[in-house]
Amino acid sequence: MTAQLACMVDDVAPGSALRVELEGESGPVEVAVVRDSSGDWHAISDICSHGQVSLSDGEVEDCTIECWLHGSTFDLRSGKPLALPATRPVPVYPLTVDGDRVLVDVDTTVNA
């Protein structure tokens, strides 16, 4: 499968995240489409590797996102946890901005 439309550019303000569900080779994939504080785009799994809750409901600061339930933070570029209690990374997906469309490929991870 190739990159698919996740959202439009205007749907995500800098410093925020949007939960989307995309169709992967193995079924639905929950993705957090994130614009960091600098306005750069990222796509990571929306599911925290520790608490199984939505990361898109957490706070975005610089190039990190914080899980709202237990406070783990994840690097948006690598998916690596930067604060406990999470110890496992979350998948990071390739994201492309094409005009006003945001495209994500959930069948490829950039941190595999």
Side-chain angles (χ1 to χ4, degrees):
M1 193 170 261
T2 58
Q4 55 192 297
L5 180 65
C7 63
M8 304 304 283
V9 167
D10 291 341
D11 293 337
V12 186
S16 68
L18 175 70
R19 180 193 175 278
V20 298
E21 188 173 291
L22 301 175
E23 193 60 38
E25 290 176 349
S26 302
V29 179
E30 296 176 40
V31 176
V33 176
V34 185
R35 281 183 83 182
D36 65 26
S37 301
S38 298
D40 293 329
W41 292 90
H42 308 275
I44 65 169
S45 171
D46 190 48
I47 305 302
C48 178
S49 61
H50 169 259
Q52 300 298 303
V53 297
S54 178
L55 288 175
S56 60
D57 290 333
E59 290 200 28
V60 176
E61 184 175 328
D62 297 325
C63 201
T64 66
I65 192 163
E66 180 180 34
C67 176
W68 64 270
L69 186 59
H70 295 114
S72 292
T73 56
F74 295 88
D75 185 304
L76 292 169
R77 297 161 295 202
S78 68
K80 291 181 181 175
L82 303 174
L84 295 172
T87 58
R88 290 176 291 127
V90 294
V92 174
Y93 306 105
L95 179 148
T96 307
V97 176
D98 180 20
D100 60 350
R101 302 176 331 139
V102 179
L103 308 170
V104 176
D105 180 358
V106 294
D107 293 323
T108 305
T109 57
V110 295
N111 62 339

XYZ file of all heavy atoms in Angstrom:
825
model
N 0.851 -1.179 0.000
C 0.000 0.000 0.000
C 0.895 1.239 0.000
O 2.034 1.197 0.437
C -0.901 -0.026 1.245
C -2.041 0.980 1.181
S -3.251 0.736 2.492
C -4.465 -0.163 1.588
N 0.372 2.324 -0.447
C 1.140 3.564 -0.508
C 0.566 4.567 0.478
O -0.401 4.297 1.183
C 1.086 4.150 -1.927
O -0.285 4.382 -2.274
C 1.698 3.198 -2.942
N 1.166 5.741 0.491
C 0.686 6.801 1.381
C -0.768 7.121 1.059
O -1.186 7.090 -0.088
C 1.555 8.038 1.219
N -1.524 7.420 2.098
C -2.934 7.741 1.933
C -3.275 9.017 2.673
O -2.561 9.431 3.594
C -3.807 6.582 2.388
C -3.535 6.118 3.814
C -4.198 4.800 4.128
O -5.415 4.709 4.113
N -3.406 3.788 4.433
N -4.346 9.642 2.256
C -4.767 10.900 2.855
C -5.119 10.688 4.320
O -5.983 9.883 4.652
C -5.975 11.465 2.102
C -6.532 12.784 2.631
C -5.519 13.910 2.481
C -7.825 13.126 1.899
N -4.417 11.423 5.188
C -4.693 11.360 6.624
C -5.566 12.532 7.055
O -6.472 12.368 7.872
C -3.383 11.356 7.410
N -5.259 13.732 6.544
C -6.006 14.927 6.898
C -5.567 16.056 5.970
O -4.744 15.845 5.087
C -5.779 15.314 8.361
S -4.068 15.742 8.763
N -6.096 17.220 6.217
C -5.695 18.408 5.469
C -4.776 19.244 6.364
O -4.858 19.177 7.600
C -6.915 19.221 5.050
C -7.934 18.410 4.246
S -7.262 17.641 2.776
C -7.177 19.037 1.687
N -3.915 20.047 5.760
C -2.959 20.861 6.500
C -3.660 21.722 7.555
O -3.199 21.831 8.693
C -2.131 21.736 5.526
C -1.364 22.817 6.257
C -1.184 20.868 4.714
N -4.783 22.304 7.198
C -5.496 23.182 8.129
C -6.122 22.457 9.311
O -6.580 23.094 10.265
C -6.592 23.963 7.395
C -6.028 24.987 6.429
O -4.834 25.356 6.576
O -6.772 25.418 5.524
N -6.138 21.119 9.285
C -6.746 20.348 10.375
C -5.867 20.280 11.621
O -6.355 19.932 12.705
C -7.040 18.914 9.920
C -8.126 18.842 8.863
O -8.946 19.782 8.769
O -8.152 17.832 8.127
N -4.565 20.580 11.487
C -3.637 20.425 12.610
C -2.812 21.700 12.774
O -1.978 22.021 11.928
C -2.697 19.208 12.405
C -1.853 18.973 13.653
C -3.488 17.955 12.043
N -3.032 22.400 13.864
C -2.278 23.629 14.159
C -0.916 23.262 14.748
O -0.759 22.192 15.344
C -3.060 24.486 15.158
N 0.083 24.132 14.596
C 1.371 23.870 15.250
C 1.175 23.649 16.758
O 0.371 24.325 17.393
C 2.173 25.139 14.978
C 1.600 25.661 13.697
C 0.118 25.359 13.792
N 1.887 22.667 17.294
C 1.783 22.350 18.714
C 0.571 21.505 19.059
O 0.164 21.456 20.216
N 0.009 20.809 18.062
C -1.163 19.977 18.343
C -1.100 18.668 17.569
O -0.231 18.461 16.721
C -2.453 20.731 18.017
O -2.569 20.939 16.635
N -2.053 17.780 17.872
C -2.107 16.462 17.241
C -3.548 16.124 16.880
O -4.493 16.624 17.498
C -1.541 15.406 18.183
N -3.691 15.260 15.895
C -4.995 14.812 15.436
C -4.966 13.302 15.289
O -4.061 12.748 14.662
C -5.328 15.448 14.080
C -6.611 14.987 13.395
C -7.835 15.494 14.160
C -6.635 15.464 11.950
N -5.951 12.632 15.874
C -6.068 11.175 15.735
C -6.794 10.854 14.434
O -7.849 11.414 14.152
C -6.858 10.594 16.897
C -7.017 9.099 16.818
C -8.071 8.595 17.805
N -8.295 7.185 17.638
C -9.075 6.638 16.724
N -9.724 7.388 15.869
N -9.219 5.331 16.647
N -6.199 9.949 13.641
C -6.835 9.466 12.424
C -6.712 7.948 12.387
O -5.806 7.374 12.995
C -6.232 10.085 11.141
C -6.428 11.591 11.111
C -4.773 9.738 10.990
N -7.633 7.313 11.700
C -7.550 5.871 11.506
C -7.376 5.619 10.016
O -8.188 6.056 9.207
C -8.814 5.187 12.018
C -8.702 3.678 12.009
C -9.878 3.004 12.675
O -10.001 3.130 13.907
O -10.664 2.361 11.948
N -6.286 4.934 9.676
C -5.975 4.635 8.286
C -6.002 3.126 8.072
O -5.900 2.353 9.032
C -4.606 5.212 7.923
C -4.477 6.734 8.097
C -3.045 7.176 7.840
C -5.443 7.460 7.184
N -6.117 2.720 6.831
C -6.183 1.300 6.519
C -4.793 0.789 6.162
O -4.193 1.222 5.184
C -7.144 1.060 5.363
C -7.520 -0.375 5.167
C -8.208 -1.010 6.372
O -9.018 -0.350 7.051
O -7.917 -2.198 6.638
N -4.299 -0.149 6.973
C -3.002 -0.767 6.713
C -3.172 -2.134 6.090
O -4.290 -2.638 5.966
N -2.066 -2.755 5.729
C -2.109 -4.090 5.133
C -2.772 -5.104 6.050
O -3.413 -6.042 5.598
C -0.691 -4.564 4.789
C -0.070 -3.812 3.638
C 1.363 -4.230 3.384
O 1.962 -4.944 4.212
O 1.904 -3.816 2.345
N -2.622 -4.917 7.365
C -3.185 -5.862 8.341
C -4.456 -5.358 8.995
O -4.898 -5.922 9.984
C -2.141 -6.157 9.420
O -0.971 -6.671 8.843
N -5.020 -4.271 8.486
C -6.245 -3.727 9.062
C -6.066 -2.286 9.499
O -5.082 -1.636 9.141
N -7.023 -1.768 10.279
C -6.982 -0.363 10.699
C -5.761 -0.046 11.569
O -5.346 -0.858 12.388
C -8.265 -0.178 11.500
C -9.106 -1.369 11.214
C -8.199 -2.464 10.769
N -5.206 1.162 11.359
C -4.057 1.638 12.129
C -4.400 3.019 12.682
O -4.772 3.914 11.926
C -2.783 1.742 11.246
C -1.610 2.267 12.050
C -2.458 0.393 10.615
N -4.308 3.162 14.003
C -4.562 4.449 14.643
C -3.279 5.264 14.641
O -2.245 4.805 15.121
C -5.082 4.244 16.056
C -6.435 3.549 16.078
C -6.921 3.264 17.474
O -6.742 4.118 18.359
O -7.490 2.177 17.666
N -3.351 6.469 14.074
C -2.178 7.313 13.883
C -2.423 8.683 14.512
O -3.525 9.225 14.405
C -1.880 7.487 12.369
C -0.726 8.450 12.142
C -1.601 6.147 11.717
N -1.401 9.230 15.143
C -1.422 10.617 15.593
C -0.643 11.434 14.567
O 0.547 11.210 14.373
C -0.792 10.767 16.973
N -1.343 12.331 13.879
C -0.692 13.268 12.967
C -0.385 14.498 13.805
O -1.284 15.099 14.395
C -1.596 13.619 11.775
C -0.938 14.668 10.899
C -1.919 12.365 10.971
N 0.896 14.852 13.889
C 1.341 15.872 14.843
C 2.112 16.967 14.123
O 2.948 16.683 13.252
C 2.255 15.242 15.930
C 2.625 16.277 16.986
C 1.600 14.022 16.560
N 1.845 18.217 14.504
C 2.711 19.335 14.110
C 3.407 19.793 15.380
O 2.764 20.170 16.359
C 1.896 20.488 13.531
C 1.492 20.225 12.107
C 0.767 21.368 11.492
N 1.706 22.364 10.996
C 1.336 23.498 10.431
N 0.052 23.787 10.300
N 2.231 24.342 9.985
N 4.727 19.719 15.376
C 5.459 20.109 16.574
C 5.465 21.630 16.741
O 4.873 22.358 15.932
C 6.868 19.516 16.587
C 7.777 20.021 15.490
O 7.576 21.145 14.984
O 8.730 19.286 15.136
N 6.090 22.094 17.779
C 6.094 23.524 18.106
C 6.694 24.381 17.002
O 6.376 25.560 16.881
C 6.858 23.759 19.412
O 6.251 23.029 20.456
N 7.568 23.788 16.169
C 8.179 24.515 15.051
C 7.333 24.444 13.786
O 7.682 25.042 12.776
C 9.564 23.938 14.752
O 10.407 24.089 15.863
N 6.250 23.672 13.833
C 5.394 23.510 12.661
C 5.764 22.324 11.783
O 5.138 22.104 10.761
N 6.793 21.542 12.188
C 7.183 20.359 11.422
C 6.166 19.236 11.649
O 5.579 19.110 12.728
C 8.579 19.884 11.837
C 9.658 20.880 11.457
O 9.500 21.583 10.436
O 10.662 20.966 12.192
N 5.983 18.420 10.633
C 4.978 17.357 10.639
C 5.570 16.011 11.050
O 6.689 15.682 10.688
C 4.375 17.217 9.248
C 3.552 18.380 8.852
C 3.971 19.512 8.208
C 2.158 18.558 9.082
N 2.911 20.357 8.021
C 1.784 19.794 8.544
C 1.174 17.772 9.693
C 0.484 20.277 8.594
C -0.118 18.243 9.749
C -0.462 19.477 9.200
N 4.747 15.198 11.765
C 5.145 13.861 12.198
C 3.919 12.957 12.195
O 2.795 13.427 12.397
C 5.720 13.894 13.618
C 6.810 14.889 13.801
N 8.124 14.618 13.504
C 6.782 16.175 14.213
C 8.857 15.688 13.750
N 8.070 16.656 14.177
N 4.150 11.660 12.011
C 3.086 10.662 12.131
C 3.617 9.521 12.982
O 4.635 8.908 12.650
C 2.664 10.157 10.762
N 2.950 9.268 14.105
C 3.348 8.184 15.001
C 2.109 7.393 15.378
O 0.980 7.851 15.195
C 4.046 8.704 16.283
C 3.085 9.533 17.143
C 5.270 9.529 15.948
C 3.630 9.843 18.526
N 2.333 6.220 15.929
C 1.204 5.442 16.432
C 0.474 6.282 17.469
O 1.090 6.958 18.294
C 1.690 4.147 17.080
O 0.618 3.501 17.732
N -0.848 6.240 17.423
C -1.631 7.001 18.396
C -1.769 6.272 19.721
O -2.291 6.813 20.677
C -3.021 7.306 17.827
C -3.785 8.284 18.692
O -3.196 9.327 19.076
O -4.958 8.017 19.011
N -1.262 5.046 19.808
C -1.443 4.241 21.008
C -0.149 4.212 21.826
O 0.886 3.733 21.353
C -1.873 2.804 20.652
C -3.122 2.822 19.775
C -2.111 1.989 21.915
C -4.322 3.509 20.385
N -0.218 4.701 23.058
C 0.933 4.697 23.965
C 1.385 3.257 24.205
O 0.551 2.366 24.416
C 0.555 5.360 25.292
S 1.881 5.349 26.517
N 2.677 3.032 24.165
C 3.214 1.684 24.354
C 3.130 1.220 25.806
O 3.334 0.049 26.093
C 4.670 1.621 23.874
O 5.485 2.506 24.620
N 2.799 2.114 26.711
C 2.677 1.737 28.114
C 1.231 1.543 28.532
O 0.865 0.524 29.078
C 3.314 2.790 29.028
C 2.977 2.586 30.472
N 2.000 3.328 31.107
C 3.451 1.713 31.383
C 1.900 2.911 32.362
N 2.763 1.937 32.549
N 0.391 2.546 28.262
C -0.952 2.520 28.815
C -2.073 2.246 27.844
O -3.230 2.247 28.227
N -1.757 2.008 26.558
C -2.781 1.717 25.563
C -3.855 2.809 25.499
O -5.047 2.520 25.429
C -3.423 0.354 25.823
C -2.441 -0.802 25.783
C -1.790 -0.958 24.420
O -2.479 -1.108 23.434
N -0.480 -0.936 24.367
N -3.427 4.067 25.561
C -4.343 5.201 25.438
C -3.877 6.092 24.289
O -2.749 5.983 23.814
C -4.446 6.031 26.745
C -5.010 5.197 27.875
C -3.107 6.602 27.132
N -4.745 6.993 23.868
C -4.497 7.847 22.716
C -3.450 8.922 23.008
O -3.656 9.776 23.873
C -5.809 8.500 22.287
O -5.598 9.353 21.205
N -2.345 8.908 22.261
C -1.320 9.936 22.427
C -1.776 11.289 21.884
O -1.330 12.334 22.357
C -0.021 9.517 21.730
C 0.759 8.391 22.393
C 1.954 8.004 21.533
C 1.196 8.778 23.790
N -2.667 11.278 20.900
C -3.104 12.547 20.309
C -3.867 13.422 21.294
O -4.036 14.614 21.058
C -3.942 12.299 19.057
O -5.091 11.551 19.367
N -4.300 12.858 22.413
C -4.954 13.644 23.463
C -3.945 14.303 24.395
O -4.316 15.070 25.285
C -5.897 12.763 24.294
C -7.118 12.325 23.511
O -7.518 13.045 22.576
O -7.673 11.250 23.825
N -2.656 13.995 24.211
C -1.613 14.538 25.070
C -1.081 15.862 24.565
O -1.473 16.360 23.509
N -0.151 16.426 25.321
C 0.432 17.721 24.973
C 1.656 17.557 24.084
O 2.484 16.685 24.299
C 0.823 18.469 26.250
C -0.390 18.917 27.030
C -0.068 20.035 27.998
O 0.860 20.806 27.730
O -0.762 20.115 29.012
N 1.732 18.439 23.080
C 2.879 18.490 22.182
C 3.767 19.636 22.631
O 3.293 20.761 22.802
C 2.423 18.715 20.722
C 3.626 18.870 19.798
C 1.506 17.594 20.271
N 5.044 19.333 22.853
C 6.003 20.369 23.236
C 7.300 20.110 22.501
O 7.840 19.000 22.566
C 6.238 20.364 24.748
C 7.136 21.483 25.193
C 7.279 21.553 26.706
O 6.330 21.208 27.420
O 8.359 21.957 27.150
N 7.781 21.136 21.813
C 8.963 20.995 20.971
C 8.749 19.809 20.036
O 7.809 19.784 19.273
C 10.230 20.868 21.805
C 10.492 22.131 22.635
O 10.187 23.232 22.143
O 10.984 21.997 23.762
N 9.598 18.787 20.114
C 9.473 17.627 19.226
C 9.087 16.371 20.011
O 9.551 15.271 19.737
C 10.787 17.418 18.479
S 10.550 16.436 16.984
N 8.222 16.576 21.027
C 7.757 15.455 21.843
C 6.243 15.510 22.003
O 5.623 16.563 21.822
C 8.385 15.468 23.255
O 7.926 16.620 23.969
C 9.905 15.458 23.192
N 5.686 14.351 22.368
C 4.281 14.284 22.736
C 4.202 13.519 24.054
O 4.939 12.545 24.257
C 3.416 13.614 21.641
C 1.932 13.820 21.932
C 3.777 12.161 21.452
C 1.029 13.565 20.746
N 3.353 13.994 24.949
C 3.223 13.400 26.270
C 1.923 12.626 26.368
O 0.860 13.117 25.984
C 3.246 14.485 27.349
C 3.120 13.925 28.748
C 3.138 15.011 29.810
O 2.631 16.109 29.545
O 3.635 14.738 30.902
N 2.008 11.416 26.889
C 0.815 10.624 27.149
C 0.061 11.272 28.304
O 0.618 11.494 29.377
C 1.200 9.190 27.498
S -0.217 8.167 27.941
N -1.203 11.566 28.080
C -2.002 12.287 29.074
C -2.294 11.450 30.315
O -2.537 11.994 31.380
C -3.324 12.762 28.454
C -4.213 11.624 28.018
C -4.232 11.026 26.799
C -5.174 10.945 28.809
N -5.146 10.011 26.771
C -5.750 9.944 28.004
C -5.605 11.079 30.125
C -6.735 9.073 28.464
C -6.592 10.210 30.576
C -7.147 9.231 29.756
N -2.215 10.118 30.214
C -2.616 9.286 31.352
C -1.510 9.093 32.383
O -1.731 9.290 33.574
C -3.113 7.925 30.852
C -3.695 6.998 31.913
C -4.884 7.644 32.615
C -4.122 5.680 31.278
N -0.305 8.726 31.935
C 0.773 8.438 32.883
C 1.993 9.333 32.725
O 2.960 9.184 33.448
C 1.205 6.970 32.768
C 0.145 6.009 33.163
N -0.451 5.150 32.274
C -0.464 5.786 34.346
C -1.368 4.435 32.899
N -1.398 4.797 34.156
N 1.994 10.240 31.748
C 3.071 11.215 31.629
C 4.289 10.790 30.837
O 5.271 11.537 30.778
N 4.272 9.623 30.219
C 5.404 9.252 29.362
C 5.478 10.223 28.194
O 4.453 10.620 27.643
C 5.227 7.835 28.814
O 5.326 6.890 29.840
N 6.691 10.584 27.804
C 6.858 11.420 26.620
C 7.604 10.625 25.563
O 8.431 9.765 25.868
C 7.622 12.724 26.928
O 8.879 12.392 27.515
C 6.835 13.617 27.855
N 7.290 10.930 24.291
C 7.886 10.227 23.160
C 8.472 11.235 22.193
O 7.880 12.283 21.945
C 6.830 9.394 22.435
C 6.274 8.279 23.268
C 5.185 8.495 24.091
C 6.844 7.017 23.236
C 4.667 7.480 24.875
C 6.332 5.988 24.013
C 5.239 6.225 24.837
N 9.642 10.898 21.639
C 10.268 11.704 20.594
C 9.471 11.493 19.311
O 9.280 10.352 18.874
C 11.719 11.271 20.408
C 12.476 12.136 19.434
O 12.017 12.273 18.271
O 13.527 12.665 19.801
N 9.003 12.571 18.697
C 8.181 12.471 17.498
C 8.964 11.979 16.284
O 8.384 11.440 15.348
C 7.543 13.826 17.187
C 6.498 14.299 18.187
C 6.131 15.749 17.927
C 5.271 13.400 18.138
N 10.280 12.137 16.276
C 11.096 11.705 15.148
C 11.438 10.229 15.203
O 11.515 9.566 14.172
C 12.390 12.518 15.081
C 12.148 14.004 14.842
C 13.348 14.786 15.226
N 13.531 14.630 16.679
C 14.200 15.460 17.440
N 14.788 16.493 16.920
N 14.295 15.262 18.743
N 11.645 9.697 16.392
C 12.094 8.309 16.536
C 11.067 7.393 17.187
O 11.188 6.170 17.086
C 13.375 8.265 17.376
O 13.085 8.643 18.715
N 10.093 7.953 17.888
C 9.127 7.153 18.627
C 9.648 6.650 19.966
O 8.928 5.996 20.719
N 10.903 6.965 20.283
C 11.502 6.470 21.521
C 10.897 7.168 22.741
O 10.672 8.379 22.727
C 13.012 6.687 21.511
C 13.718 5.818 20.515
C 15.211 6.025 20.548
C 15.862 5.132 19.511
N 17.295 5.369 19.413
N 10.664 6.397 23.820
C 10.174 7.012 25.054
C 11.302 7.798 25.720
O 12.441 7.341 25.767
C 9.755 5.819 25.910
C 10.566 4.681 25.401
C 10.813 4.951 23.945
N 10.969 8.991 26.195
C 11.948 9.854 26.850
C 11.713 9.949 28.344
O 12.532 10.522 29.065
C 11.909 11.249 26.223
C 12.163 11.294 24.716
C 11.958 12.704 24.185
C 13.560 10.780 24.400
N 10.572 9.448 28.816
C 10.246 9.485 30.247
C 9.425 8.248 30.595
O 8.594 7.799 29.799
C 9.473 10.752 30.587
N 9.680 7.709 31.773
C 8.932 6.566 32.275
C 7.489 6.982 32.565
O 7.227 8.160 32.752
C 9.596 6.039 33.539
C 11.008 5.465 33.336
C 11.637 5.153 34.675
C 10.985 4.252 32.435
N 6.565 6.047 32.577
C 6.773 4.609 32.695
C 6.952 3.863 31.373
O 7.258 2.676 31.383
C 5.515 4.128 33.412
C 4.466 5.087 33.004
C 5.168 6.419 32.851
N 6.760 4.488 30.225
C 6.936 3.782 28.952
C 8.404 3.419 28.747
O 9.297 4.227 29.037
C 6.442 4.639 27.794
N 8.639 2.215 28.256
C 10.005 1.769 27.964
C 10.149 1.292 26.522
O 11.263 1.082 26.053
C 10.427 0.617 28.904
O 9.497 -0.465 28.756
C 10.464 1.103 30.356
N 9.032 1.103 25.815
C 9.063 0.644 24.429
C 8.698 1.796 23.491
O 7.794 2.568 23.790
C 8.080 -0.507 24.213
C 8.515 -1.792 24.905
C 7.485 -2.893 24.760
N 6.302 -2.531 25.555
C 5.064 -2.488 25.073
N 4.812 -2.788 23.818
N 4.052 -2.145 25.850
N 9.378 1.891 22.346
C 9.034 2.947 21.382
C 7.691 2.680 20.719
O 7.174 1.556 20.758
C 10.174 2.892 20.368
C 10.722 1.516 20.487
C 10.497 1.063 21.900
N 7.143 3.717 20.112
C 5.937 3.589 19.289
C 6.364 3.743 17.831
O 7.349 4.418 17.532
C 4.859 4.633 19.666
C 4.329 4.381 21.066
C 5.378 6.046 19.537
N 5.639 3.096 16.910
C 5.992 3.214 15.492
C 5.881 4.656 14.983
O 4.994 5.405 15.392
C 4.965 2.324 14.794
C 4.512 1.364 15.834
C 4.549 2.137 17.122
N 6.794 5.021 14.096
C 6.787 6.303 13.406
C 6.604 5.996 11.922
O 7.259 5.102 11.380
C 8.110 7.071 13.635
C 8.159 8.344 12.810
C 8.288 7.377 15.110
N 5.716 6.738 11.261
C 5.378 6.477 9.868
C 5.833 7.620 8.966
O 5.822 8.784 9.384
C 3.862 6.293 9.723
C 3.296 5.245 10.632
C 2.578 5.599 11.764
C 3.502 3.885 10.380
C 2.069 4.644 12.615
C 2.989 2.921 11.228
C 2.268 3.301 12.352
O 1.770 2.346 13.204
N 6.180 7.313 7.715
C 6.526 8.370 6.759
C 5.318 9.277 6.504
O 4.201 8.787 6.319
C 6.909 7.610 5.491
C 7.146 6.204 5.897
C 6.316 5.974 7.122
N 5.558 10.570 6.513
C 4.513 11.568 6.277
C 4.997 12.526 5.201
O 6.156 12.937 5.203
C 4.216 12.330 7.568
C 3.165 13.425 7.507
C 2.424 13.527 8.839
C 3.751 14.761 7.142
N 4.085 12.875 4.285
C 4.376 13.818 3.212
C 3.274 14.851 3.156
O 2.094 14.504 3.288
C 4.426 13.086 1.844
O 5.314 11.991 1.929
C 4.861 14.018 0.740
N 3.652 16.112 2.994
C 2.671 17.168 2.763
C 2.692 17.461 1.269
O 3.731 17.804 0.706
C 2.985 18.433 3.587
C 2.013 19.537 3.251
C 2.953 18.115 5.084
N 1.543 17.281 0.638
C 1.390 17.499 -0.804
C 0.337 18.584 -0.986
O -0.860 18.302 -0.942
C 0.973 16.199 -1.480
C 0.794 16.349 -2.982
O 1.337 17.312 -3.562
O 0.099 15.498 -3.572
N 0.808 19.826 -1.148
C -0.128 20.951 -1.220
C -0.816 21.133 0.119
O -0.159 21.361 1.126
N -2.123 20.959 0.151
C -2.855 21.092 1.417
C -3.247 19.735 1.993
O -3.968 19.646 2.969
C -4.092 21.973 1.236
C -5.078 21.420 0.223
O -4.741 20.463 -0.495
O -6.202 21.955 0.152
N -2.711 18.656 1.396
C -3.029 17.304 1.853
C -1.868 16.715 2.653
O -0.708 16.871 2.293
C -3.342 16.391 0.661
C -4.485 16.906 -0.171
C -4.774 16.084 -1.424
N -3.619 15.412 -1.993
C -3.645 14.162 -2.471
N -4.740 13.462 -2.471
N -2.550 13.635 -2.984
N -2.199 16.014 3.743
C -1.203 15.330 4.564
C -1.364 13.834 4.310
O -2.432 13.262 4.558
C -1.386 15.662 6.060
C -0.360 14.919 6.900
C -1.294 17.164 6.289
N -0.298 13.207 3.813
C -0.320 11.794 3.440
C 0.577 10.988 4.368
O 1.684 11.421 4.704
C 0.161 11.622 2.001
C -0.531 12.499 0.956
C 0.203 12.415 -0.369
C -1.984 12.087 0.804
N 0.101 9.816 4.773
C 0.860 8.946 5.677
C 0.855 7.530 5.105
O -0.167 7.045 4.623
C 0.246 8.948 7.094
C 0.971 7.977 8.008
C 0.274 10.350 7.693
N 2.008 6.864 5.191
C 2.139 5.460 4.775
C 2.252 4.600 6.027
O 3.315 4.521 6.640
C 3.373 5.293 3.887
C 3.576 3.858 3.420
O 2.791 2.974 3.801
O 4.531 3.643 2.654
N 1.155 3.943 6.412
C 1.157 3.147 7.644
C 1.728 1.750 7.442
O 1.862 0.993 8.413
C -0.254 3.048 8.275
C -0.707 4.421 8.743
C -1.250 2.427 7.321
N 2.082 1.395 6.209
C 2.657 0.073 5.958
C 4.177 0.098 6.023
O 4.829 -0.934 5.834
C 2.181 -0.450 4.603
C 0.696 -0.733 4.624
O 0.189 -1.199 5.657
O 0.027 -0.446 3.614
N 4.744 1.262 6.297
C 6.185 1.426 6.435
C 6.446 2.171 7.729
O 5.714 3.093 8.073
C 6.752 2.258 5.259
O 6.375 1.632 4.036
C 8.246 2.390 5.340
N 7.449 1.750 8.478
C 7.855 2.514 9.657
C 9.258 3.036 9.435
O 10.080 2.379 8.801
C 7.794 1.676 10.958
O 8.608 0.524 10.799
C 6.367 1.266 11.276
N 9.525 4.215 9.974
C 10.856 4.796 9.805
C 11.758 4.493 10.976
O 12.930 4.819 10.961
C 10.785 6.331 9.554
C 10.086 6.614 8.239
C 10.102 7.043 10.687
N 11.223 3.839 11.994
C 12.031 3.490 13.168
C 12.088 1.987 13.365
O 12.264 1.506 14.476
C 11.510 4.168 14.418
C 10.088 3.761 14.781
O 9.322 3.286 13.942
N 9.723 3.961 16.034
N 11.934 1.224 12.295
C 11.913 -0.250 12.408
C 13.268 -0.799 12.758
O 14.281 -0.231 12.529
C 11.421 -0.859 11.101
